[in-house]
Structures are given as C-alpha cells and as structure tokens.
Amino acid sequence: MISASDLTPAELAALLHFHADAGVDWLLEEQPVDRFAEFEALRAARQGARAAPPRDEAPPPAAKAQPDRRQSAKPVAVPPPTSPRNAPAIPDEQVMEQARFAAESARSLAELKTAIEAFHGCNLKNSARSTIFASGTAESRIMVIGPMPSADDDREGVPFAGRAGLLLDKMLAAIGLRRDDILLTNVIPWRPPGNRTPSAPEIEICRPFIERQIALTEPKALLLLGNFTARHFFDSGETIHGLRGQWREISILGRTIPAIASLHPQELLTAPINKRLAWNDLLAFKNRLDAEILG
C-alpha cells in the first residue's frame, strides 16, 4: 500500500482530484476498522453460542476449567452512528411532497436557496460537496439552465465552472451577454456520484426546486443546455441533436414560457465541430430576446 508520505504534493493533489471526480468525498468511518478481527470475533461468538449448554444445565467440570477463548478476542469495532443528515432518504411520495412544500413556501430566490440547503430528502445531497444554486441576477429575466453540477461546479460551488464555464462565457459574450447579467442554474442542485444520470425518483424530488426558480425569475425565454435538460423540459426521449434549435412552449406552474435547447459547452469541448450548431441556436435565442425587448 502506498502511504501519503511517499507521494509528492503534486501526486497527492492529483490523487485527491481523481477520487473527487469518481464521487469519493469522505471516508465512511472516522477511525480505521480491522474487518478481519471483526469477522473472527463474530465467528467465535457464534461458535460459542452454539456450544453453550442450556441455562438450566450446569456445564461439565472440564468445561469450567477451560478458559473462555471469547474473552481473548478483539472487541468488535462499532462504526459511529449515522448522522440523520447523511442517512439514506427513501424517495417516496411523502418526500416529494416535502420538496414541493419547501419550494412553494419560498417567496424569493434567497428563500428558495435557504430551503434547498435545508432540505435533506434527496440522496444526491449526501454525496455532493456543495449545493449548487442559481448565480447571476434574475432582473434581466434571461435564464440559462444546465443539467446537473459537474465536478468543477461541486468543488467551486457555482454552476458552469471550469473549462465548460469558460466556454459558456465566450458563447454568451458572442451574443452580448455576461453571466453576471443573467441567471445561470441547473435542473439538479447536487452532483450525482461519478456524474451518473439521476434516477427517476431523484429527478422528481428536485423538480419542484427548478420549477420554482423559473416561476420566481419569470424569464422571457429559456436556453436549455444539454441532452438531459432538453429531455427534462420537453418530456421527450429524443437526443439533443433532435431537440436543439427548435422553439417550444413549456408550462411551468401555470405559466407558458418559450424555450430553445442547445448543446452543452462540455459537449462542444468534446466535439468542437458542433460549435456551428450551437452558434445558430445562440443567434435564435438572441433574436427572441431582442423581439421581446422591442415588443
């Protein structure tokens, strides 16, 4: 086994980043546990229980003379009690109703942020380092929504961080926007372990929070980035290439909002040839915003 003392600071930092990207954020227990000793102690206890005479029958003299081997076994290490905050949540209808109530009770984005940070009914929160809430300003009524936090987002505590965030900044600047002047957010506020796709119950638990963000912002139009985001709002099984570039009307809490989907910046980093498609989508988004202003 390689000890941390054998690694250089650069190697140790790279190893920690690797574990963080893989979804490993903390040790399961505060102190190391000798599982081999624990297993041997449990096996000895079970064998002793099977060999023990009935309570109303005295053990034979030879048995009394023999030392109790179980006393020499190492005590079983008991893991620390699980904190209620980190206890696994059962994604049932009651938890979903709690999420809806928490979201509907918020009268501002600040109150909604507090409500999400205080909500512990979604298992994704137990493995995430940060709760990623909307950044920017809602006053412009321009909203850009991504799927879920990336490893960079989780580390920095803001949506669209890292290389993908830098590319998004350039994309927005190309149509005359800055991230500080619009509202950036994600469908899911917590990074799933290993960047896996959230389960259906996890999506439904988070749904009231993103819908409330949209309702409080009252955007003139929505720019949806990525395959997961487009499918979520358009309720479609098509890929982003079949959904992008088309204006659709979506209903959020009784309000109809125009929305257009485009490729996520991370996808563009992987396949730069698709930047021309994203540019067409951005132009369509800008034209819609200009029409709203003139109208």
Side-chain angles (χ1 to χ4, degrees):
M1 179 180 294
I2 299 177
S3 173
S5 60
D6 298 330
L7 301 176
T8 66
E11 290 173 336
L12 183 59
L15 179 61
L16 292 175
H17 280 297
F18 169 77
H19 286 308
D21 291 340
V24 179
D25 293 322
W26 59 67
L27 296 176
L28 295 179
E29 295 162 350
E30 296 294 337
Q31 299 296 329
V33 177
D34 189 340
R35 298 297 182 189
F36 296 100
E38 178 181 313
F39 174 76
E40 291 297 330
L42 288 174
R43 185 170 65 175
R46 290 173 181 172
Q47 291 176 348
R50 287 195 296 266
R55 293 182 180 179
D56 57 352
E57 180 181 339
K64 291 183 178 180
Q66 294 178 355
D68 189 354
R69 295 182 179 179
R70 286 176 293 173
Q71 294 180 356
S72 62
K74 294 183 180 180
V76 177
V78 179
T82 303
S83 169
R85 176 169 298 185
N86 295 331
I90 302 176
D92 56 11
E93 182 59 34
Q94 183 178 1
V95 174
M96 297 176 187
E97 181 60 33
Q98 292 173 357
R100 286 191 289 269
F101 178 79
E104 293 171 2
S105 300
R107 301 302 174 190
S108 66
L109 287 174
E111 290 183 7
L112 183 58
K113 179 182 180 182
T114 301
I116 296 177
E117 291 174 341
F119 182 78
H120 300 288
C122 184
N123 288 323
L124 293 178
K125 187 173 186 178
N126 294 336
S127 59
R129 181 179 304 178
S130 306
T131 296
I132 309 300
F133 191 70
S135 70
T137 178
E139 296 179 357
S140 64
R141 297 176 59 199
I142 301 174
M143 199 168 185
V144 178
I145 305 177
M148 61 209 73
S150 65
D152 291 323
D153 299 349
D154 197 32
R155 279 193 293 268
E156 299 187 25
V158 295
F160 294 99
R163 293 180 60 207
L166 292 175
L167 179 55
L168 178 62
D169 291 343
K170 294 179 181 179
M171 294 166 61
L172 294 174
I175 58 173
L177 297 175
R178 299 188 309 162
R179 70 160 58 211
D180 292 339
D181 298 331
I182 63 176
L183 197 69
L184 295 177
T185 190
N186 288 308
V187 176
I188 307 295
W190 302 288
R191 181 202 176 208
N195 290 333
R196 66 167 173 82
T197 301
S199 66
E202 290 167 345
I203 294 172
E204 291 308 310
I205 290 174
C206 297
R207 184 184 296 273
F209 297 129
I210 183 59
E211 290 186 348
R212 190 61 178 159
Q213 287 183 62
I214 296 173
L216 291 171
T217 304
E218 298 183 346
K220 295 175 287 188
L222 291 174
L223 177 59
L224 311 176
L225 297 180
N227 194 63
F228 176 86
T229 314
R231 287 181 170 183
H232 179 81
F233 285 103
F234 293 161
D235 192 22
S236 172
E238 293 187 65
T239 67
I240 186 61
H241 289 278
L243 297 173
R244 55 151 293 274
Q246 307 171 31
W247 281 103
R248 304 192 183 195
E249 303 288 334
I250 62 174
S251 179
I252 301 294
L253 301 179
R255 177 185 175 88
T256 300
I257 304 172
I260 188 172
S262 186
L263 299 165
H264 193 280
Q266 186 61 49
E267 300 173 57
L268 299 178
L269 290 174
T270 305
I273 193 173
N274 290 327
K275 287 183 178 181
R276 56 185 179 84
L277 302 177
W279 174 241
N280 291 333
D281 300 336
L282 288 173
L283 289 179
F285 185 63
K286 181 180 185 301
N287 292 336
R288 186 64 177 252
L289 294 176
D290 291 343
E292 290 287 339
I293 294 174
L294 295 176

